Amino acid sequence: MGEIRLPSHMFLWCLSAVYMFAFASLYVQIPGLYGNEGVLPARWQLRVSGKSVVEQLKDSPTLLWFGPRLGLDTQQCMELLSLTGALLSLMTLALPVLRDCRVFLLLWILYLSLYQVGQVFLYFQWDNLLLETGFLAILIAPMKMPWSSKVRLHDNVTFWLVRWLLFRLMFASGVVKLTSRCPTWWGLTAVTYHYETQCIPTPLAWFAHQLPVWFQKLSVVGTFVIEIAVPFMFFSPIRRHRLVAFYMQVLLQVFIILSGNYNFFNILTITLCMSLLDDRHVNFWLRRSTPKTESTLLQTLFSWLAVMLEIGSYALLGYWSVKYFDLQVDWENKSVSSKTAFTYFEFNGFLKTVTVPSIWIGVLSLTWEIVSAMFKCACVRGVLWRLWNTIQWAVMTAATVSMFAISLVPHTYIEYDAHSNLWPGIRTAFEVTDRYQLVNSYGLFRRMTGVGGRPEVVIEGSMDRNTWTEIEFMYKPGNMSAAPPVVAPHQPRLDWQMWFAALGPHTQSPWFSSLLHRLLQGKRDVIRLIQTDESQYPFSKQPPAYLRAHRYKYWFSEPKEDGSYPQRWWRRVYVEEFYPMVHLGDSYLEQMLVQHGLKDKAPPRRSSTAWLPQLLRLVGQHAREIPTPLLLWTLFSSAATVCLLNSLRSRAHHHPRESLQNKHADKQTAGWTRSDVAEEDVKRLEEEDVKDDAEEDGKEQEEDATSEEEQEGEIEEEVNTEETDVDRLRKRKQF
């Protein structure tokens, strides 16, 4: 792996954006989800007991325990934590100086504190992935305040953990599709159902659903290749393998973003893909010239050997794809036929074969990074600097090896024998750290739901039990004429849980009874989860006297025979009653609330009149008036604009140096002597370096400045280059 200074910057910048999206999206939903009158009040998770704060933190590691000391109830403390996280991540996104390991530690603690009381609305795989990625960022980000460490020779070691996390995420997501024995994945027909059955599709999903079946099946084959085979290229010593793997992973995530609203998950996955890049390729994107070195005969032979191995690996990957998915081109119909040409037991044998070697591939790759960083430390000039870098290397290497070791527990969940043969000490360490979500197991889209039609729960309200009015949600399908929305990176968590609730009986979703109870009470915070604009809510003036819920099956509408688009996006069929008719005081509703512990046992605390609770209420009122997707993109655009302005200022600051170099060439052409040019160059460059260092120390905005020894080496190299050019000019004049 080459230098990764620029990819690590990009990783931290993108992660800051993801944190901002996650905190801000959750912030606007807290009153309705976790408020004192919300669907699942968070104060129920923090029962008052006689335990000390330390014991409470051991039971549930969350900062919400300190809320009463600030005069805040649980809802207000959650709002404070999420608002703090959103503002801090927004500033981190805009200002490079804040991309510090201690800032990312604080962001991780804030999100973990919210996760601990999030219950069913916060227990998604992308929340776990954000916590694990956020913890890795603590090891990757530099410690810049109040001083800056200019040389970090262990960066490749800690950044390797991001690559390993990306491998675990993608490989497990591909494997579980086949180990689940889902007939749609084995029949390569999953995507033919996916676009219309995913939680919140986009308008492009309707058009993607109309694609021919052979193309949909080929898409499933491509998904298996990208998620199961390509991840092994992450650790290839051939640089182009990693770059090809990067573009293939990003391509898959972009297609998912275009067809579905998966909040910040796909952006976070692309962020992990930054670990496959190096400075050289990022400079290629930025059109920056890189110094070219003359290659020796041995290096040329190695490069040709790498090209041959690369071509061979692509040919082997193509051969396996054709063989195991029986790909055949039908030239007459202009299509490609495909089918799964292996059995479940053969695939299990494949897992037994590759799971343990995948661990050893990780061990060898990590060992290479550790040894390379160790040699760099040994080559540092000066005993004290060498000792300091060696200490940093040792600490970060120990942390990296520990994280890799405990990650083997969730990684081997996919294969029983490999998991059972793990050293017991590793499993013990995983159990101790499990509550902090340091490492997690993954496996997205395990089974394809809605094969016989997309199930949807539709809530209806009435004032007289005769006339019923449907209650439409902002984001999930309901109105058949309404176009699917585009809401990413916002995640409407109630809409997501409504999708899960429709997959089974209402008893499997206890929170649904609480939702109906709050709607019967007319709680505004819960209503705003359904419709931000209360004028669109049919019972905004008076709560409904009766509520009920029915289950429907939805399908995307089909294009007309003449090729024109239909007036409706959806068509639906009534299936059954999902929840019986209830009203306030209804015996069945009360029984369900008591059975699932959703009945208030004690009244909530009275709202405080102190300045902090008042400020939180004021900010919340203004923030929740704006549509959440618009709010998120406005915040991101503001921070991105600040970054762009800083970049332009930095480029303008370095422009005088380029002008000075051009001036040197003019002076040489005029016949300046070799010594005069060299002396003036050294003086001017030293003056420029002094000015640059002063401004960098004052602003603290340069993340990885080169060391003083490297700066001196650059000056000497430039002087020698200038001297060589003068000699050549003199020779030309002589001839």
Side-chain angles (χ1 to χ4, degrees):
M1 196 76 177
E3 294 297 325
I4 47 87
R5 183 178 63 89
L6 294 177
S8 62
H9 287 317
M10 296 166 60
F11 168 79
L12 296 176
W13 188 85
C14 293
L15 184 59
S16 301
V18 172
Y19 262 130
M20 188 271 293
F21 290 142
F23 278 116
S25 174
L26 182 60
Y27 169 73
V28 298
Q29 303 178 76
I30 285 177
L33 294 179
Y34 304 113
N36 296 325
E37 297 179 341
V39 179
L40 292 177
R43 62 189 178 89
W44 295 348
Q45 303 296 311
L46 300 174
R47 299 294 185 183
V48 178
S49 62
K51 296 181 180 180
S52 63
V53 177
V54 176
E55 293 175 336
Q56 290 174 334
L57 288 174
K58 288 182 179 179
D59 294 338
S60 179
T62 173
L63 296 178
L64 296 175
W65 293 114
F66 298 97
R69 301 191 179 189
L70 298 175
L72 304 174
D73 58 22
T74 305
Q75 172 190 339
Q76 293 169 339
C77 193
M78 288 188 71
E79 291 180 346
L80 178 62
L81 295 184
S82 58
L83 185 60
T84 302
L87 293 177
L88 184 59
S89 55
L90 182 66
M91 292 188 295
T92 305
L93 181 64
L95 303 175
V97 69
L98 292 179
R99 291 171 211 153
D100 180 88
C101 61
R102 286 160 290 189
V103 174
F104 282 102
L105 173 61
L106 181 57
L107 290 173
W108 178 78
I109 292 175
L110 291 172
Y111 204 77
L112 179 65
S113 299
L114 298 171
Y115 176 86
Q116 293 297 324
V117 297
Q119 304 170 77
V120 69
F121 292 110
L122 209 59
Y123 290 169
F124 293 96
Q125 290 195 47
W126 35 84
D127 294 309
N128 296 332
L129 182 63
L130 179 56
L131 285 172
E132 184 170 351
T133 307
F135 187 81
L136 297 184
I138 302 171
L139 303 178
I140 295 169
M143 184 178 292
K144 302 179 61 176
M145 300 178 298
W147 63 87
S148 175
S149 178
K150 296 182 178 180
V151 180
R152 290 169 51 87
L153 301 179
H154 59 269
D155 280 351
N156 287 53
V157 177
T158 53
F159 202 48
W160 180 90
L161 286 172
V162 180
R163 238 190 312 163
W164 175 246
L165 172 58
L166 178 64
F167 172 81
R168 287 168 40 221
L169 170 67
M170 302 311 300
F171 186 68
S173 296
V175 165
V176 297
K177 292 177 174 61
L178 294 174
T179 56
S180 66
R181 297 193 179 189
C182 177
T184 62
W185 286 115
W186 279 93
L188 306 181
T189 59
V191 177
T192 61
Y193 306 103
H194 164 72
Y195 294 116
E196 69 178 2
T197 61
Q198 59 184 322
C199 181
I200 305 178
T202 66
L204 287 179
W206 186 91
F207 295 94
H209 183 72
Q210 313 304 328
L211 293 173
V213 175
W214 69 266
F215 185 84
Q216 308 279 29
K217 297 178 71 174
L218 193 61
S219 300
V220 177
V221 174
T223 300
F224 283 139
V225 172
I226 293 175
E227 292 186 345
I228 298 178
V230 172
F232 287 94
M233 296 168 61
F234 297 170
F235 307 107
S236 172
I238 301 176
R239 176 175 173 269
R240 283 186 294 269
H241 272 164
R242 300 191 297 271
L243 295 180
V244 169
F246 167 81
Y247 284 108
M248 295 181 74
Q249 299 298 328
V250 171
L251 183 65
L252 175 63
Q253 299 306 317
V254 169
F255 284 156
I256 297 175
I257 290 173
L258 293 176
S259 62
N261 292 282
Y262 290 93
N263 50 81
F264 57 82
F265 167 67
N266 304 111
I267 303 175
L268 181 55
T269 305
I270 294 175
T271 300
L272 296 177
C273 292
M274 300 300 174
S275 60
L276 302 175
L277 300 175
D278 53 24
D279 284 359
R280 179 180 166 189
H281 196 68
V282 177
N283 283 325
F284 169 75
W285 286 350
L286 301 175
R287 294 297 185 265
R288 292 177 181 175
S289 59
T290 54
K292 296 182 179 179
T293 57
E294 295 183 359
S295 58
T296 62
L297 178 60
L298 184 60
Q299 291 174 337
T300 303
L301 292 176
F302 274 117
S303 63
W304 278 105
L305 179 61
V307 170
M308 294 176 62
L309 291 175
E310 184 181 1
I311 296 175
S313 62
Y314 297 147
L316 190 61
L317 186 62
Y319 169 75
W320 283 341
S321 300
V322 172
K323 177 182 178 181
Y324 291 110
F325 294 102
D326 195 18
L327 300 179
Q328 296 181 6
V329 179
D330 186 351
W331 298 106
E332 294 182 0
N333 297 323
K334 297 181 180 180
S335 63
V336 179
S337 64
S338 56
K339 65 178 181 180
T340 305
F342 54 91
T343 65
Y344 175 79
F345 298 102
E346 289 175 338
F347 183 73
N348 269 343
F350 164 77
L351 274 185
K352 291 179 181 294
T353 303
V354 303
T355 301
V356 174
S358 71
I359 297 175
W360 284 109
I361 290 174
V363 170
L364 293 175
S365 179
L366 177 58
T367 302
W368 173 262
E369 299 293 352
I370 291 174
V371 173
S372 300
M374 181 183 65
F375 275 106
K376 290 180 181 179
C377 293
C379 296
V380 173
R381 294 182 181 179
V383 177
L384 294 179
W385 282 112
R386 188 181 305 125
L387 177 61
W388 172 242
N389 281 280
T390 303
I391 293 175
Q392 290 185 14
W393 168 84
V395 172
M396 291 302 178
T397 296
T400 302
V401 172
S402 300
M403 288 292 295
F404 172 72
I406 62 175
S407 71
L408 297 180
V409 176
H411 174 59
T412 54
Y413 283 159
I414 58 177
E415 208 282 304
Y416 175 78
D417 291 338
H419 182 72
S420 60
N421 291 331
L422 285 177
W423 183 44
I426 295 179
R427 283 197 287 268
T428 302
F430 171 77
E431 293 171 359
V432 172
T433 58
D434 186 38
R435 67 176 63 187
Y436 303 107
Q437 306 301 315
L438 300 185
V439 294
N440 303 278
S441 60
Y442 304 100
L444 299 170
F445 305 108
R446 183 185 299 269
R447 298 187 65 88
M448 189 55 58
T449 59
V451 174
R454 172 198 181 95
E456 278 293 342
V457 173
V458 176
I459 302 176
E460 299 177 345
S462 175
M463 303 300 296
D464 56 5
R465 292 196 296 182
N466 294 321
T467 303
W468 293 89
T469 304
E470 293 187 7
I471 298 177
E472 296 181 10
F473 284 65
M474 286 183 291
Y475 307 116
K476 84 176 192 69
N479 184 356
M480 293 181 289
S481 300
V486 177
V487 300
H490 170 54
Q491 181 185 0
R493 295 181 181 266
L494 179 60
D495 294 66
W496 268 86
Q497 286 303 325
M498 289 290 292
W499 181 78
F500 283 107
L503 301 178
H506 72 84
T507 52
Q508 295 181 358
S509 304
W511 57 268
F512 192 83
S513 298
S514 180
L515 172 64
L516 296 184
H517 185 233
R518 296 305 188 191
L519 293 179
L520 288 170
Q521 293 176 328
K523 299 302 181 182
R524 287 192 59 193
D525 291 333
V526 178
I527 293 173
R528 291 178 68 86
L529 294 176
I530 298 175
Q531 286 290 344
T532 303
D533 184 3
E534 294 187 21
S535 63
Q536 302 296 321
Y537 184 69
F539 303 98
S540 57
K541 296 181 179 179
Q542 183 180 359
Y546 304 93
L547 285 176
R548 68 184 184 184
H550 289 153
R551 195 196 320 264
Y552 289 81
K553 283 194 175 181
Y554 277 66
W555 295 270
F556 272 140
S557 58
E558 300 292 336
K560 296 181 180 180
E561 295 181 357
D562 58 359
S564 61
Y565 299 137
Q567 295 180 349
R568 293 186 174 184
W569 292 81
W570 299 95
R571 56 187 179 90
R572 74 180 186 182
V573 172
Y574 176 80
V575 178
E576 61 185 351
E577 181 184 72
F578 180 77
Y579 204 98
M581 182 184 65
V582 293
H583 56 84
L584 283 179
D586 186 89
S587 59
Y588 182 80
L589 179 60
E590 293 294 324
Q591 177 186 352
M592 296 301 298
L593 294 175
V594 173
Q595 178 181 345
H596 298 294
L598 300 174
K599 195 73 173 175
D600 278 330
K601 297 181 180 179
R605 294 176 51 189
R606 293 182 179 179
S607 59
S608 175
T609 58
W611 68 271
L612 185 55
Q614 294 288 350
L615 179 62
L616 289 174
R617 280 192 288 271
L618 181 63
V619 173
Q621 290 175 359
H622 288 83
R624 295 182 183 98
E625 291 178 354
I626 307 173
T628 307
L630 177 61
L631 175 64
L632 297 184
W633 285 116
T634 300
L635 293 175
F636 175 79
S637 301
S638 302
T641 302
V642 174
C643 288
L644 179 61
L645 293 176
N646 286 336
S647 176
L648 294 176
R649 287 182 57 189
S650 176
R651 184 170 298 180
H653 174 71
H654 290 292
H655 182 69
R657 179 184 290 270
E658 297 177 359
S659 300
L660 179 61
Q661 293 177 353
N662 295 333
K663 192 174 181 180
H664 293 161
D666 296 339
K667 291 180 179 179
Q668 292 174 14
T669 306
W672 281 44
T673 62
R674 171 177 167 178
S675 59
D676 291 340
V677 173
E679 290 177 3
E680 181 161 335
D681 288 346
V682 172
K683 289 180 181 180
R684 290 187 178 239
L685 288 172
E686 287 179 349
E687 290 176 0
E688 289 290 329
D689 290 335
V690 169
K691 291 179 181 179
D692 291 345
D693 291 340
E695 292 182 3
E696 288 172 0
D697 294 337
K699 296 180 180 179
E700 292 185 351
Q701 291 187 353
E702 291 294 328
E703 295 229 6
D704 288 298
T706 56
S707 63
E708 295 178 359
E709 295 174 357
E710 291 175 338
Q711 291 175 355
E712 293 175 359
E714 290 177 0
I715 295 174
E716 293 175 0
E717 184 178 353
E718 289 183 22
V719 172
N720 293 334
T721 303
E722 305 275 351
E723 293 174 354
T724 304
D725 292 339
V726 172
D727 292 338
R728 291 176 179 174
L729 185 60
R730 287 184 174 180
K731 290 180 180 179
R732 290 178 182 176
K733 289 182 178 180
Q734 290 176 2
F735 289 99

